[in-house]
Amino acid sequence: EVSKPVKMIVTLNRKPVLDDYFGADLTFSESRKTQLSLREPKILHVIDNLETGPNELTFHFDNEGYDTCEIFALYFEGEIKA
């Protein structure tokens, strides 16, 4: 566990994620960016109720906090096309 969280900004189709699609671990930052605050290894629920269709989910580090973390796996339900 780390004392200062790793903050990752999350965008959906190059925009902040609408709160209709928030998973349990996604929050708004003070500047209204959609973000994850990572303090310990865990399974994260990032997106929920996403409509079918082409979507681009992007994760990038906020300017504050640590600049590294390890992502071990991504899991998606539904139809995925490459």
Side-chain angles (χ1 to χ4, degrees):
E1 185 175 329
V2 296
S3 58
K4 188 174 183 181
V6 173
K7 293 183 181 178
M8 294 190 79
I9 304 301
V10 181
T11 59
L12 180 62
N13 302 322
R14 300 183 183 195
K15 297 178 183 174
V17 179
L18 297 175
D19 55 354
D20 292 346
Y21 304 133
F22 268 38
D25 295 301
L26 198 61
T27 61
F28 281 116
S29 69
E30 290 179 13
S31 60
R32 300 295 292 169
K33 295 177 184 175
T34 48
Q35 72 176 13
L36 294 170
S37 290
L38 311 172
R39 289 190 172 274
E40 61 190 356
K42 68 177 265 185
I43 295 173
L44 299 168
H45 183 190
V46 181
I47 298 291
D48 199 10
N49 300 318
L50 189 60
E51 297 171 4
T52 302
N55 292 291
E56 179 182 272
L57 185 63
T58 307
F59 300 85
H60 62 92
F61 291 106
D62 195 355
N63 292 335
E64 301 174 18
Y66 295 99
D67 60 355
T68 61
C69 74
E70 296 177 0
I71 298 175
F72 291 98
L74 297 173
Y75 171 77
F76 299 93
E77 280 187 15
E79 185 178 343
I80 296 180
K81 295 181 180 180

